[in-house]
Amino acid sequence: MKQLVTGDEAAAIAAKLARVKVISAYPITPQTIIVERLAEFVANGELDAEYIKVESEHSALSACLGSAAVGARTFTATSSQGLMLMSEILFVASGMRLPIVMANANRSLSAPLSIWCDQQDSVAVRDCGWIQLYCENNQEVLDSTIQAFRIAEESLLPVMVCFDGYILSHTAEPVEIPEQAEVDKFLPTYKYPYLLDPEKPITMGAVGVPEYYEEFRYMLQEAVLKSKEKIIEVGQAFGRQFGRKSDLIECYRSDDADVILLTMGSLSGSIKEMIDEYRGHGERVGLVKVRAFRPFPAKELVDSLGHAKAVAVLEKDFSPGSTGALFSDLSGAFVNSRESPLLLNFICGLGGRDVSSLQIREATKAAMEAAKTGEVKKTVRWLGLRETMVGLKP
Amino acid sequence: MNGMIEIRFHGRGGQGAVTAARLLAEAAFAEGKYSQALPFFGAERRGAPVLAFTRIDSRPIRIRTQIYEPDYVVVLDPSLLEVVNVASGIKRDGLIVLNSKKNAQFSNAKSAFVDATSIAKEMLGVPITNTAMLGAFAKATKLVSLDSLINVIKGRFFGKLADKNIAAIKAAYEQTKVIT
Amino acid sequence: MKLPPSTIILKPGNSEQNETGSWRSLKPVVDSKKCNGCGLCWLYCPEPAITKGKPVVIDYRYCKGCGICANDCPVKAIVMVEEGQK
């Protein structure tokens, strides 16, 4: 059944449909509606789960460690500063191989204080060993959250489902809500193989002395790399059952494109509209959307971008002193490959600034220019930056 | 319906612009269309000028930018006309629906007006004009039916509050004057 | 040996295999006349090195010589002596 719901509502409905057993979270804008809805579901008996109230995000994720360790399907949600406060425990969750699912409503980081959207929060913790999926629309928020539980449980890794704050979290649009019985079929009862059980005591999270630490880190790396296959497999299984399949990346009119735009998250939709316009004028422009940022789909991106003359990476984050994170990962993906398209980086939409069609056109134009001349004038540009304010122009 | 219709709501924090955008999206959705309600939150302060957007289309909506060239503009507070250019970017033949005791002239758009503040005060007891202005919008644009709006209100509010809001919508629908 | 996916120790009680007696440079010696069998040393011993009783018995396979027992003994029945001395 189709319903008009916001991204936050879609995430909450998905967690409910997944029959989560434990929710522990702390409210933070723009994620709060997720935990409010889940608290309502638990309170009115629609969802048979334990809602653990805590005093901070650090505690929220710590509680999730415990519940995941006893084999309960576990969900949390956060955003921005909350994710930062969780960061210590993020690494513990992946290192302990606990299949926790988190919804992260992407929001910028202080300072300056900002409650609005960009992707700096989840990008900042890209190295924490979690799988990260980014959503284009509210349907993907629901679909990816349901899939996240199966990916997490079958690869013993925590999964973060990221979606743009406000632009998705607070935007209402039609979402196909699957039947409970269908979701039950897709997500059978889950059994954690290393159950923490007083009847059969084990030790979890023991010290990793220098003789062992590196092996455990290597196994984490292998697990996250291997989860690529799981993400594809689960995406296909979901497609077979619900008619909407997901993958690591999505290619939109990019097969024969000379210029390809690359992005992740809600910006993809606006870019698709622009692509159709360009195609209407005979311009060979396409989009590749990154859904899985971790594991990074390096091979898939090289395969789908390699034929282009220029690739413009639009992203709502940057690594101060370097480039955008997606851009640097993409550059790394092309290392040692014989041919690489020219790569351009556009930092945009920081702190909730609207990425308008005008800005998308500006990036496309620059990439077309590079494709034509074979030269990149400026590798990293900031879209919408008011240059007089930062002293670039008098 | 030909192509996407874009609506921009101007209000002040607390007047329900965000809710109005969503209720309109729900009414259009109930009529079998695709819709999107996109709020723009400032630092949430009561009284500060706020924006909210609704898109309606017969096809799925992918674009997620704010709306710069609306087909319709709804102004929830008459005093906003002095501080915000509500007609900014409006499409040719666009229409501005005003909460106002009298009409205002726009060089680039048609207009409709209704005294929604008085209606809201009378029907709801508070000057929250969002539902009344939806009635005005329905009358002026015919984009959604009065019945769809009433049904959406019934799903959103309960008991007396639903009745009061429906009364406000109906009154505004009756009293709205479209200037062509 | 294939490791589990994280530092999970599946077999409980395996600290018994870890005989920490060789770590010791100081050794607790119990004065059986003074010991009143209160068991405080047993409670505070971080290793499974003390058996309760009057007097308590120290298992030198596990005692790593930390001296907590001597420090906590309320009747000063345990003294730390250098390893190798009587």
Side-chain angles (χ1 to χ4, degrees), chain B residues 33-50:
Chain B
K33 292 166 193 147
Y34 287 92
S35 60
Q36 177 195 71
L38 173 78
F40 175 72
F41 286 93
E44 290 90 336
R45 292 160 301 176
R46 185 162 281 259
V50 296

Side-chain angles (χ1 to χ4, degrees), chain A residues 41-219:
Chain A
F41 292 149
V42 173
N44 67 21
E46 278 181 78
L47 175 63
D48 178 22
E50 198 71 43
Y51 189 102
I52 305 175
K53 280 181 270 181
V54 285
E55 77 285 9
S56 76
E57 286 87 354
H58 189 281
S59 305
L61 193 54
S62 300
C64 290
L65 294 183
S67 72
V70 300
R73 191 168 277 162
T74 302
F75 182 76
T76 186
T78 194
S79 178
S80 181
Q81 306 303 124
L83 187 64
M84 292 301 105
L85 190 49
M86 279 183 178
S87 63
E88 182 187 9
I89 313 303
L90 291 173
F91 288 75
V92 180
S94 60
M96 288 179 72
R97 306 291 302 276
L98 295 168
I100 300 161
V101 171
M102 175 198 294
N104 181 62
N106 282 110
R107 165 184 151 184
S108 49
L109 294 174
S110 292
L113 173 64
S114 162
I115 58 163
W116 297 275
C117 172
D118 65 37
Q119 295 172 348
Q120 193 71 61
D121 53 356
S122 51
V123 164
V125 295
R126 64 183 171 163
D127 297 338
C128 70
W130 286 51
I131 292 170
Q132 286 194 352
L133 305 176
Y134 287 77
C135 306
E136 178 186 330
N137 52 45
N138 293 350
Q139 186 69 60
E140 286 190 10
V141 173
L142 181 125
D143 293 353
S144 285
T145 304
I146 291 172
Q147 290 175 44
F149 286 99
R150 190 152 144 189
I151 295 166
E153 289 161 12
E154 291 184 7
S155 46
L156 295 187
L157 285 169
V159 181
M160 202 181 286
V161 179
C162 304
F163 54 95
D164 288 341
Y166 297 108
I167 302 169
L168 296 182
S169 72
H170 283 60
T171 292
E173 62 183 9
V175 171
E176 181 70 39
I177 315 276
E179 294 295 321
Q180 181 67 62
E182 286 292 311
V183 178
D184 289 346
K185 236 189 277 171
F186 181 77
L187 266 183
T189 320
Y190 140 76
K191 191 141 184 1
Y192 185 59
Y194 304 98
L195 222 52
L196 201 56
D197 176 1
E199 297 297 316
K200 287 180 232 151
I202 59 168
T203 298
M204 292 179 86
V207 66
V209 291
E211 297 97 298
Y212 287 102
Y213 186 86
E214 195 167 311
E215 280 73 22
F216 285 113
R217 294 302 283 174
Y218 179 83
M219 287 193 290

Side-chain angles (χ1 to χ4, degrees), chain C residues 38-60:
Chain C
C38 70
L40 261 189
C41 57
W42 169 82
L43 189 65
Y44 284 114
C45 179
E47 295 294 327
I50 295 180
T51 308
K52 270 205 276 192
K54 193 182 166 186
V56 293
V57 180
I58 292 170
D59 185 340
Y60 291 107

